[in-house]
Amino acid sequence: MIGAGTMGRGIVQLFAQAGHRVHCFDSVDGAAGKAVEFVGGMIGRGVEKGRLGADDFERLRGRIHAAATIADLADCDVVIEAIVEDLEVKRALFRQLEAVVSPQAILASNTSSLVVAEIAAACAHPERVAGLHFFNPVPLMKVAEVIAAVRTAPAVVETLRTLVAGTGHRAVVAADQPGFLVNHAGRGLYTEGLRLLEEQSASADQVDRVLREAAGFRMGPFELLDLTGLDVSSKVMASIYEQFQQEPRFRPSSLVPPRVAAGLFGRKTGQGWYAYAGDKGDVKQLPTVSPVPALPAELKVWVAPDAADREALRALASEAGARWLDHPDPDALLIVQPWGRDATSEAIALGLDATRCVAIDPLPGFGLHRTLMLTAVTTPAMRDAAHALLSQDGTGATVINDSPGFIVQRVLATIVNIAAQIAQRGIASIDDIEDAVKLGLGYPHGPLAWGDRIGGAKVLQILQRMQAGTGDPRYRPSPWLERRVALGLSLRTPEAARS
Ligand SMILES: NC(=O)c1ccc[n+]([C@@H]2O[C@H](COP(=O)([O-])OP(=O)(O)OC[C@H]3O[C@@H](n4cnc5c(N)ncnc54)[C@H](O)[C@@H]3O)[C@@H](O)[C@H]2O)c1
């Protein structure tokens, strides 16, 4: 292991626990020794908790050695590098390593953002060089990406895959493309979250809350950006966009640079999209949520005939004592449930009075947190009536401004579309895409399985309508998605030639 920082320490621990002998080197004097002590302490916790016997601890501890010089790594079969993220420094190290290790030794880089082939190109034997990308904290994030650069020998990829699998982590194989697999698949949540904010469709805390409570994400995009730090994330967003030759799907937001300039990095500076208190910036201060308005004494409700939740809405209206109408009478609240369209467009398409129209997202189950979307001219009285009605049964509701695809539809459709394009480009296998996203990003489902749950045709419709409504090519559907929907197949159906 070269580099005894955050990642190096975790990687040392992982391989020692899997039964390997590990030598650790760092260019800073004493850093490798400290890392060995640190890892010993981490492993020692297992003894304290009764999970590891004293003998096993000593044996495990004895496998980890601090190396005084790079020459001490001469008999290593695999060298993993996790030093500073700088191409020239990494290239110089790999060149130096080749002179030390055996001709069969594998050289792997833990780089997150560099092109592995550029590191490999510094070596006399680039076929032995690959990426081996772990996530922080290494022992807990149970996935690693094995990156096959253009000249990497298949046997090297296979050895690394087997090596990782032996630690209990899931090894996924990805091509040497920007963001590899996990950081590539993770773009949708951030870019679409920021787009919602740019369009003033919803506030950051509304986007986060809806995605957590209605879609099952552990954290929304703004909570995640605050955790990682906008100083770091903004560079990743810009770099992946540029490395993909300005692909519109990854276009970063103009909202970000002014916030970076102002130091609104997130938890580490006490202020990001949220304000934080506490020593470690661990107490998030939430903006106050406006109270649920009272239900009007007399309420007439009309629901569009094609609304997905029409029967559930009828039951709710009946419990609330509202009058259910079969025609959109002049003083009724008009409820619509569009897919991929904003409330204004839906009102116009159905010939409804937009001032009385409120849209409810049909995608999440009716029992989950509800998103209510206003047209550009919905009156406050109709907004409050809808908010009160939809909160009658104690289910939370968030009221947002016009947005094609509400919050959940557009974010999920974007995530599915990006994953479909990862599959189309052959960057990774379908199983690897699915597992990498679940383990690396913590999403409740793999993105293609998620698309199947929503229905490929629905995802395609959301994207097509968003593209038509906004004119933005970022929403253009991947051919992978289009073909499988046209054929009535699962989004996890592999390409014939690759299966
Ligand atoms: N931190 C993360 O969340 C994360 C996740 C995935 C990948 N990575 C990547 O892993 C690598 C390391 O990241 P980190 O967060 O552990 O960094 P870090 O700053 O915590 O540790 C880097 C270590 O490398 C040592 N070092 C620097 N130059 C060296 C050289 N030429 N030779 C030997 N040692 C040298 C430093 O002294 C330091 O101890 C980077 O390439 C980074 O992009 C980081």
Side-chain angles (χ1 to χ4, degrees), residues 2-8 25-28 31 70 81-86 89-90 93 109-113 133-136:
I2 303 193
T6 308
M7 297 304 288
F25 173 76
D26 195 285
S27 57
V28 171
I70 285 207
E81 163 277 313
I83 64 165
V84 58
E85 187 77 337
D86 178 304
V89 181
K90 288 196 199 278
L93 174 69
S109 172
N110 189 50
T111 180
S112 313
S113 64
H133 186 221
F134 287 93
F135 298 83
N136 187 25

Side-chain angles (χ1 to χ4, degrees), residues 282-315:
D282 46 359
V283 186
K284 184 170 86 174
Q285 293 171 347
L286 279 172
T288 44
V289 179
S290 48
V292 177
L295 201 65
E298 280 195 20
L299 179 61
K300 291 181 198 167
V301 180
W302 174 88
V303 175
D306 67 345
D309 298 315
R310 194 160 196 274
E311 287 317 309
L313 283 160
R314 188 200 291 269

Side-chain angles (χ1 to χ4, degrees), residues 390-412:
L390 271 296
S391 306
Q392 272 300 293
D393 58 358
T395 305
T398 292
V399 182
I400 65 167
N401 290 323
D402 233 350
S403 157
F406 299 83
I407 294 172
V408 175
Q409 286 183 31
R410 61 192 282 181
V411 169
L412 291 190

Side-chain angles (χ1 to χ4, degrees), residues 196-218:
L196 278 151
L197 211 59
E198 278 178 11
E199 292 167 15
Q200 299 279 299
S201 296
S203 62
D205 61 295
Q206 286 181 320
V207 171
D208 285 344
R209 181 170 188 207
V210 166
L211 288 172
R212 267 189 283 103
E213 297 187 18
F217 288 91
R218 280 188 206 154

Side-chain angles (χ1 to χ4, degrees), residues 339 363 408-409 412-413 416 447 449-459 462:
W339 293 94
L363 178 52
V408 175
Q409 286 183 31
L412 291 190
V416 174
W450 214 341
D452 281 342
R453 290 169 81 103
I454 298 166
K458 274 276 174 281
V459 175
I462 295 166

Side-chain angles (χ1 to χ4, degrees), residues 393-439:
D393 58 358
T395 305
T398 292
V399 182
I400 65 167
N401 290 323
D402 233 350
S403 157
F406 299 83
I407 294 172
V408 175
Q409 286 183 31
R410 61 192 282 181
V411 169
L412 291 190
T414 300
I415 289 170
V416 174
N417 197 35
I418 289 174
Q421 192 58 11
I422 292 176
Q424 185 64 54
R425 294 179 65 134
I427 288 173
S429 73
I430 291 169
D431 285 346
D432 283 6
I433 295 171
E434 298 292 279
D435 286 350
V437 166
K438 282 188 282 183
L439 294 167

